[in-house]
């Protein structure tokens, strides 16, 4: 699989089979991803990869909190600006309409939307997951480094025939994840990432992207 094919076929998959993910494949992916770019080579990412009982325990704890109606954890970072301006607001709304529309959920059916969202904390059935932390003292450039690292991981997973779904949703239950992982003090959970083999029986429609002229400006030297 070449790079263009990996990029074109990567998407946020929200339905996985229970087929185990080979440990060797994960080791190859994460070893190669360590070459992701980072300013001054500080490599600010801290990744934990869970399978088997540890992942089942994280899912169990999150599921118990959902069932009990426990509130989300105090946020450690702002996932979206409070006032998301145009055109970002429209893009987010269009995503929600497509995502829940594909599930037959009406825009005003908040209960059904919450039930659909709860699948996040089961990793959509994936048998493997990555939890990515960053030191709370890092700034915006280091967060960008972490984003590049995660993108590299996701593209390399495609080269292994695997799919993924990055999930900021896990940051809402960061205490439950920490109870299992016991990360060092000073690290905060940026996101989780479900990893596995795509369930082909589930529709995985890809969300559209803005036309190139809306996001790129070519300045030709003529």
């Amino acid at each position: 699989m070449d790079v263009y094919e990996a990029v074109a076929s990567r998407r946020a998959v929200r339905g996985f089979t229970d087929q185990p993910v080979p440990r060797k494949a994960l080791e190859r992916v994460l070893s190669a991803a360590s070459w992701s770019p980072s300013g001054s080579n500080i490599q600010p990412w801290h990744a934990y990869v869970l399978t088997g009982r540890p992942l089942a325990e994280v899912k169990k704890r999150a599921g118990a909190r959902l069932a009990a109606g426990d509130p989300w954890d105090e946020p450690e970072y702002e996932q979206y600006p409070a006032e998301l301006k145009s055109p970002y607001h429209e893009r987010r709304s269009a995503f929600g309409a497509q995502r829940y529309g594909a599930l037959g959920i009406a825009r005003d059916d908040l209960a059904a939307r919450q039930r659909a969202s709860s699948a996040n904390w089961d990793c959509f059935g994936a048998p493997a997951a990555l939890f990515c932390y960053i030191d709370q003292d890092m700034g915006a450039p280091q967060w960008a480094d972490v984003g590049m690292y995660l993108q590299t991981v996701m593209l390399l997973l495609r080269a292994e025939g695997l799919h993924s779904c990055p999930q900021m949703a896990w940051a809402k239950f960061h205490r439950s994840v920490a109870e299992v992982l016991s990360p060092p003090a000073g690290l905060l959970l940026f996101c989780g990432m479900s990893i596995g083999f795509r369930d082909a029986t589930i529709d995985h429609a890809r969300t559209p992207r803005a036309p190139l002229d809306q996001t790129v400006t070519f300045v030709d030297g003529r």
Side-chain angles (χ1 to χ4, degrees), residues 11-196:
R11 63 198 62 196
V13 165
R14 295 181 175 87
F16 296 86
T17 71
D18 59 3
Q19 179 180 348
V21 176
R23 170 69 176 266
K24 290 295 185 183
L26 294 173
E27 290 177 351
R28 283 192 296 269
V29 164
L30 295 168
S31 293
S34 69
W35 293 100
S36 299
S38 68
S40 298
N41 196 34
I42 67 172
Q43 304 166 64
W45 47 82
H46 298 261
Y48 292 77
V49 180
L50 279 66
T51 59
R53 290 183 181 178
L55 180 56
E57 182 64 23
V58 170
K59 292 180 179 181
K60 176 184 175 182
R61 289 171 183 260
R65 291 182 62 180
L66 285 170
D70 287 354
W72 289 340
D73 294 333
E74 186 72 20
E76 296 184 293
Y77 67 92
E78 186 177 50
Q79 292 189 3
Y80 300 100
E83 296 295 331
L84 198 59
K85 62 185 181 182
S86 182
Y88 316 112
H89 172 75
E90 290 82 0
R91 291 173 185 166
R92 187 183 184 192
S93 295
F95 163 76
Q98 178 181 357
R99 161 83 174 123
Y100 295 108
L103 297 173
I105 299 174
R107 182 181 181 85
D108 59 352
D109 192 344
L110 297 182
R113 286 191 170 214
Q114 289 175 347
R115 286 194 297 271
S117 295
S118 68
N120 271 289
W121 296 289
D122 185 48
C123 293
F124 303 105
L130 179 151
F131 292 92
C132 188
Y133 285 80
I134 184 171
D135 193 294
Q136 64 185 10
D137 294 330
M138 294 294 101
Q142 289 76 52
W143 283 76
D145 291 346
V146 170
M148 289 188 283
Y149 169 76
L150 293 171
Q151 174 74 341
T152 301
V153 169
M154 289 185 283
L155 295 181
L156 289 167
L157 288 169
R158 291 300 303 119
E160 296 284 349
L162 295 160
H163 275 280
S164 61
C165 182
Q167 300 161 265
M168 288 191 296
W170 275 107
K172 301 180 186 300
F173 280 167
H174 61 82
R175 289 193 296 108
S176 298
V177 179
E179 287 169 359
V180 175
L181 299 183
S182 299
L187 295 186
L188 63 85
L189 180 61
F190 171 40
C191 71
M193 180 190 296
S194 297
I195 298 172

